[in-house]
Amino acid sequence: MKTTLISPKIVPEFHRQIGSELEAFLQYLAIAAYFEKAALPRLAAHFARQAEEERGHAMRFLQLLVDNDADVAIPAIPAPEAQFKDAEQAAALSLERELRVTEEIHSLLRLARQENDFTSETFLHWFVKEQLEEVSSADQLLKMIQRAGDRRLLLVEDFLTRSDQTKLTKEKASEGS
Ligand SMILES: [Fe+2]
Ligand SMILES: [Fe+2]
């Protein structure tokens, strides 16, 4: 007998979501490589970090399935876009993907509610918050890249360096508290 607290109906949808998070992982790796080649190291580091976050998202779903003694299946992952016309196109793709994942998370949440699956519902709340952050930061970065234009991307690099420092300071402050 399986000891599970999640609805059997949502399990295949979680498999699909693992695929989607891993697809985002690969897409961000490809975008990071694009910026690295364009000699924009802060943008490259930003997307490499995003990639790691996506891997972490996939792991969260995987862990939920394991904890619930559910079947684990990982779908085939399509190859990411690797060629970009310019920085704006790469940043626009990242916003588009984040909006798509947000839709996916919302429809998972609808299903969890339909099924009275409180375990999945509670689990998914973290992702609802996370997607708001991801969409808003992808949107901000795209706007900044558009405003800077191709020839002034170093300004965006400078912004990322400074905002990283702010984040580090915040992390240090919260560690101390
Ligand atoms: Fe994600
Ligand atoms: Fe994301």
Side-chain angles (χ1 to χ4, degrees):
M1 205 195 92
K2 283 189 177 182
T3 312
T4 185
L5 298 174
I6 61 176
S7 155
K9 263 202 193 164
I10 209 165
V11 170
E13 298 307 314
F14 282 161
H15 295 158
R16 200 198 34 73
Q17 195 59 35
I18 290 173
S20 183
E21 300 294 342
L22 291 175
E23 197 182 328
F25 166 65
L26 294 182
Q27 187 56 68
Y28 284 145
L29 278 189
I31 295 177
Y34 164 78
F35 282 119
E36 189 87 56
K37 275 171 62 183
L40 292 161
R42 301 309 309 172
L43 276 156
H46 172 80
F47 281 100
R49 203 164 46 227
Q50 287 304 118
E52 272 315 302
E53 281 194 15
E54 300 303 342
R55 201 183 72 88
H57 295 168
M59 294 305 288
R60 277 175 183 257
F61 282 100
L62 208 69
Q63 191 62 50
L64 181 76
L65 293 173
V66 171
D67 288 346
N68 278 282
D69 206 6
D71 290 339
V72 172
I74 300 177
I77 317 294
E81 297 283 334
Q83 308 293 332
F84 302 100
K85 185 166 64 83
D86 51 24
E88 181 178 343
Q89 197 189 40
L93 180 65
S94 109
L95 176 59
E96 182 192 312
R97 290 294 172 93
E98 290 301 339
L99 287 169
R100 196 180 81 192
V101 169
T102 305
E103 272 307 304
E104 292 167 355
I105 298 292
H106 290 176
S107 78
L108 287 170
L109 190 53
R110 271 192 291 274
L111 178 61
R113 285 192 170 173
Q114 258 170 40
E115 293 291 301
N116 286 328
D117 176 349
F118 304 121
T119 303
S120 294
E121 183 177 338
T122 307
F123 169 84
L124 288 164
H125 283 161
W126 183 88
F127 280 93
V128 172
K129 243 179 95 186
E130 175 73 4
Q131 282 312 118
L132 172 62
E133 263 176 50
E134 302 241 288
V135 166
S136 113
S137 91
D139 182 62
Q140 188 194 38
L141 186 64
L142 174 60
K143 283 178 182 149
M144 226 179 282
I145 287 175
Q146 282 168 336
R147 198 177 316 130
D150 230 22
R151 290 170 52 198
R152 279 171 304 171
L153 286 173
L154 284 175
L155 292 175
V156 180
E157 287 275 290
D158 186 43
F159 167 80
L160 288 173
T161 309
R162 276 182 290 122
S163 80
D164 265 7
Q165 280 162 357
T166 329
K167 271 180 213 153
L168 282 174
T169 322
K170 273 188 201 149
E171 270 163 30
K172 271 194 195 129
S174 65
E175 266 168 31
S177 66

